[in-house]
Amino acid sequence: MDLPRRVTIREVGPRDGLQAEAPLPVHQRAGLIDMLTGANLPKIEAVSFVSPKAVPAMADAAEVWRLVRRRPEVSYSALVPNRRGAEAALEAGGFASLQAFVSASDGYNTHNLGKTVEESLGDVRDVVDAAAAAGVPVEVSISCAFGDPYGGEVPVELVVSVAERVAEFGAAGVSLGDTTGMTNPRKVWELIPLLRERLPGLQLNLHFHDSRGAALANVVAAMEVGVDEFDASVGGLGGSPFAGGQSGANGNLATEDLVAMLMGMGIQTGVDVMALFTAARMLEGLVGHAVPGRAWRTDYPELGWASPL
């Protein structure tokens, strides 16, 4: 198999992982980002400049960002919903990129944002334009790229057409989200080659959820068709609060599980898996409940890690 020798991981725990949790104090959110920075993650989605009424756990983004002990070798990004959010992030400064978002289908987009896909594409264009004026690239997350909890199957042509639209706006890349963990390797093999054929120069990231236990299998399938960048969340924390209760606590692929698997396959990430194990264990204390990640709960004698359980 022609698998990549190295994979880039973008850590989304401080944003996507915490967004459905009870709000944490700003110093704890900044501290989590610092812990993950210390694990040598190359990319971290740090904060979200969204309405605190809509997502209370993401309030005070600028204050969290101000407290973060940033390292120049780490690419930090911020999620923004529209021009106003983009302007707030640009005013805060220091982000390597911004993350806009839209769904591939109207069902989830309407529940998530109260807008059709076409209306949200207008917001994406505004974000790209605002960021371009400041010289900051924008990546666009396309939610429900593999299935919609409200509408079911999402045709691959629809996903590709949304990606083509955001590429026309000037987006630097897209992140395809399996928002409620509905996909499987067959769907990955179907969508990714078509997207590569139609948009060969577009940067591509995949964001798998583990709701049905298939996230790691989907990563391997994606690597088989040339993908070498993935989102993951420490502890497996997260899931969309707007997905009809279909993602919940076991939403995101756990970063430590992904890194441990890739290490076992001989694929480099540059990430300190032992630091991730420690961060995942500490995260349970921050959120006050068990997190879904599994790797740190077992022994890894080859790494000198003994399960604390």
Side-chain angles (χ1 to χ4, degrees), residues 18 27 62 76 87 196 270 273:
L18 293 180
H27 72 276
Y76 300 95
E87 290 172 347
R196 291 288 201 198
V273 72

Side-chain angles (χ1 to χ4, degrees), residues 44-261:
I44 299 176
E45 191 178 68
V47 293
S48 177
F49 288 86
V50 295
S51 166
K53 292 182 179 180
V55 190
M58 292 292 100
D60 304 312
E63 180 63 14
V64 172
W65 182 233
R66 186 184 67 81
L67 295 175
V68 173
R69 294 194 291 269
R70 310 167 204 169
R71 291 186 183 175
E73 68 271 21
V74 178
S75 295
Y76 300 95
S77 60
L79 187 80
V80 298
N82 48 35
R83 180 182 291 272
R84 182 177 179 182
E87 290 172 347
L90 294 170
E91 182 178 355
F95 293 107
S97 63
L98 301 184
Q99 195 84 13
F101 52 93
V102 63
S103 180
S105 59
D106 281 327
Y108 180 75
N109 207 76
T110 302
H111 283 81
N112 187 21
L113 299 172
K115 299 180 178 183
T116 65
V117 171
E118 189 63 33
E119 289 170 332
S120 287
L121 283 170
D123 288 331
V124 170
R125 183 194 288 271
D126 288 345
V127 170
V128 173
D129 289 346
V136 177
V138 174
E139 182 181 273
V140 180
S141 293
I142 302 177
S143 305
C144 295
F146 300 94
D148 185 320
Y150 301 100
E153 195 79 15
V154 176
V156 293
E157 279 290 342
L158 184 58
V159 180
V160 174
S161 69
V162 172
E164 288 176 329
R165 292 284 300 280
V166 302
E168 290 171 3
F169 298 161
V174 296
S175 175
L176 301 181
D178 182 27
T179 306
T180 55
M182 298 172 69
T183 198
N184 56 58
R186 181 190 62 80
K187 292 182 179 180
V188 173
W189 293 327
E190 181 182 12
L191 173 58
I192 301 307
L194 179 61
L195 185 66
R196 291 288 201 198
E197 178 184 343
R198 298 265 283 272
L199 294 165
L202 194 66
Q203 177 184 330
L204 181 61
N205 165 291
L206 292 187
H207 180 117
F208 291 122
H209 282 213
D210 204 32
S211 307
R212 300 180 181 179
L216 289 175
N218 291 328
V219 167
V220 174
M223 290 193 296
E224 288 176 339
V225 288
V227 179
D228 61 3
E229 180 173 319
F230 299 92
D231 282 354
S233 175
V234 62
L237 194 67
S240 170
F242 306 103
Q246 298 190 42
S247 54
N250 63 339
N252 283 302
L253 168 60
T255 314
E256 65 275 12
D257 293 3
L258 175 57
V259 173
M261 181 190 76

